Amino acid sequence: MTAPQTSQRILVTGGAGFLGSHLCERLVESGHDVICLDNFFTSQKTNVSHLLEESNFELIRHDVTVPIWLEVDQIYNLACPAAPGHYQYNPIKTIKTSLSGAINVLGMAKRCGAKVLQASTSEVYGDPTVHPQPESYTGNVNPIGPRACYDEGKRAAETLFADYHRVHRVNIRVVRIFNTYGPRMHPFDGRVVSNFIRQALQGNDITLFGDGSQTRSFCYRDDLVEGMIRMMAAPDEVTGPINLGNPEEFSMRQLAEEVREATGTSSQIIQRPLPADDPKKRQPDITLAQQHLNWRPEISLREGLQSTIRWFRSIDFEDFRPPTPNY
Ligand code: NAD
Ligand code: UDP
């Protein structure tokens, strides 16, 4: 790989995860010098082992809550468990990861004069009372519920990003990511798309929580990674937060039916209790992403599910260690 003239030294925290590993791949392909930092809590080395032979890729096992001294030009901060079952397993560690992680990457960005992008989330809107959700909506989050370790951690991380920008002029970017899926999702992460596909392929019951009327809007991982890269490349005044997600909204029952049809399974859909504080609906308003990044998703749920299902068919579930018992 010949390095482009604009080659950057880029740190990706959480770089071995589902989104991080694709981001690393894209950045390595573009000739950047990529450092992937991960503690492998919800991922495994095989996600990035194919990159290890590239001279512009480096892997560090490290916990983002602990400071580290690196010289970089850009930082993508993705380190954080993202699936409810896993982030609730050790909620105190989850909030520490968001807070100490943000402080550590912001400190590094300040010292190096680096640009730093925070992978925030639609969860900052909680169970929204405004629909679809624009960035100006300040949210409806239960600060002491089971999802708070994640939601409030990500909200406080946004606060830290905004304050480092105001106080120290750190060059920040904040994206609020809505539900994203695709190949290389951990088959035992317990999120809805991976659960339904694994259950369908194994001929097990498909577990629909509640009556399945709650909605989500699903973005395919390639669209999302493209949005993150465009955000990093945007003019410095585009600090965000900017929503990244696919505005096509589906109920969980519709998703279960789509997965049944796409896999051709005879699995039955069964109902399970709805978890506490489960948001009833979620749909991004992506006007800002269109205006500032000229970005909108291109891959439909049906297309994205097909390639995700193909990947799930290609793996052996036995090769994956469940990060926690909650899936
Ligand atoms: P993921 O669980 O696959 O990736 C997270 C990565 O962070 C994993 O590799 C994990 O091992 C690593 N990690 C966790 N704690 C760490 C720590 N303390 N130190 C170092 N590494 C640590 O999940 P993902 O879907 O790829 O999510 C990536 C980021 O995007 C997360 O910050 C998540 O909150 C955010 N996000 C994702 C979605 C989505 O739908 N995929 C939606 C909103 C936000
Ligand atoms: N869900 C479901 N069955 C499952 C896993 C999740 O019905 O096996 C539901 C869950 O209750 C939620 C939606 O699917 O309403 C999305 O859940 P996920 O954990 O993927 O993400 P989040 O709730 O964080 O958006």
Side-chain angles (χ1 to χ4, degrees):
M1 171 69 56
T2 329
Q5 290 211 319
T6 52
S7 174
Q8 302 280 295
R9 296 163 302 174
I10 305 181
L11 170 66
V12 182
T13 77
F18 158 55
L19 291 177
S21 60
H22 284 285
L23 177 63
C24 285
E25 243 167 43
R26 282 280 312 266
L27 298 172
V28 166
E29 276 165 20
S30 306
H32 296 296
D33 203 350
V34 178
I35 304 171
C36 167
L37 178 156
D38 207 296
N39 71 352
F40 305 111
F41 172 36
T42 53
S43 59
Q44 40 201 46
K45 274 179 264 175
T46 48
N47 282 352
V48 287
S49 50
H50 59 294
L51 295 174
L52 286 172
E53 62 202 33
E54 304 293 341
S55 59
N56 55 337
F57 180 78
E58 210 175 329
L59 177 60
I60 303 176
R61 181 191 284 265
H62 184 81
D63 196 303
V64 79
T65 57
V66 177
I68 185 169
W69 195 274
L70 298 166
E71 305 299 329
V72 292
D73 304 304
Q74 296 181 2
I75 306 167
Y76 288 86
N77 186 36
L78 274 66
C80 188
H86 302 324
Y87 69 62
Q88 288 169 21
Y89 177 74
N90 186 344
I92 297 165
K93 177 66 197 248
T94 298
I95 198 160
K96 275 188 188 170
T97 296
S98 275
L99 293 185
S100 304
I103 290 168
N104 289 334
V105 297
L106 284 161
M108 186 187 295
K110 177 173 169 245
R111 176 176 55 78
C112 298
K115 283 197 237 183
V116 57
L117 178 145
Q118 168 67 357
S120 191
T121 168
S122 54
E123 287 286 320
V124 300
Y125 302 122
D127 191 7
T129 53
V130 170
H131 196 69
Q133 295 81 54
E135 291 81 351
S136 55
Y137 176 52
T138 49
N140 176 36
V141 173
N142 175 0
I144 55 169
R147 298 173 82 101
C149 59
Y150 182 75
D151 301 8
E152 297 290 12
K154 290 282 189 180
R155 285 170 67 93
E158 285 200 14
T159 308
L160 284 161
F161 269 70
D163 284 334
Y164 267 75
H165 177 64
R166 269 190 293 263
V167 177
H168 297 301
R169 307 309 304 161
V170 171
N171 192 338
I172 62 152
R173 318 290 151 126
V174 177
V175 291
R176 292 182 178 157
I177 303 171
F178 284 63
N179 298 63
T180 302
Y181 69 99
R184 222 181 276 151
M185 283 187 97
H186 198 298
F188 299 103
D189 76 2
R191 283 185 272 192
V192 69
V193 174
S194 40
N195 260 15
F196 284 1
I197 294 178
R198 180 175 45 80
Q199 291 162 342
L201 294 183
Q202 291 185 320
N204 295 329
D205 291 337
I206 294 179
T207 53
L208 188 62
F209 296 167
D211 63 6
S213 61
Q214 71 273 30
T215 68
R216 295 292 185 272
S217 305
F218 295 102
C219 188
Y220 188 66
R221 58 118 216 253
D222 295 26
D223 282 332
L224 198 282
V225 167
E226 176 63 29
M228 282 201 285
I229 289 174
R230 285 190 194 203
M231 183 67 176
M232 189 62 104
D236 289 351
E237 61 274 17
V238 184
T239 57
I242 287 191
N243 289 339
L244 292 181
N246 192 323
E248 280 187 348
E249 186 183 7
F250 295 86
S251 73
M252 293 310 98
R253 186 170 288 282
Q254 281 175 309
L255 177 71
E257 293 296 357
E258 287 279 343
V259 170
R260 283 191 77 207
E261 198 184 313
T263 52
T265 186
S266 54
S267 294
Q268 299 302 306
I269 298 174
I270 57 156
Q271 281 186 225
R272 287 274 178 267
L274 189 67
D277 291 344
D278 199 282
K280 285 182 265 316
K281 52 192 172 186
R282 198 182 278 156
Q283 185 189 29
D285 177 334
I286 59 163
T287 311
L288 287 184
Q290 285 176 284
Q291 267 172 12
H292 294 295
L293 312 178
N294 191 23
W295 177 88
R296 61 167 303 116
E298 287 175 356
I299 296 159
S300 68
L301 180 65
R302 191 153 288 181
E303 267 176 286
L305 278 181
Q306 276 163 0
S307 63
T308 310
I309 291 166
R310 256 196 314 279
W311 182 79
F312 270 78
R313 283 192 200 280
S314 76
I315 59 170
D316 184 348
F317 294 134
E318 303 266 310
D319 292 340
F320 292 81
R321 171 188 54 83
T324 76
N326 307 336
Y327 58 87

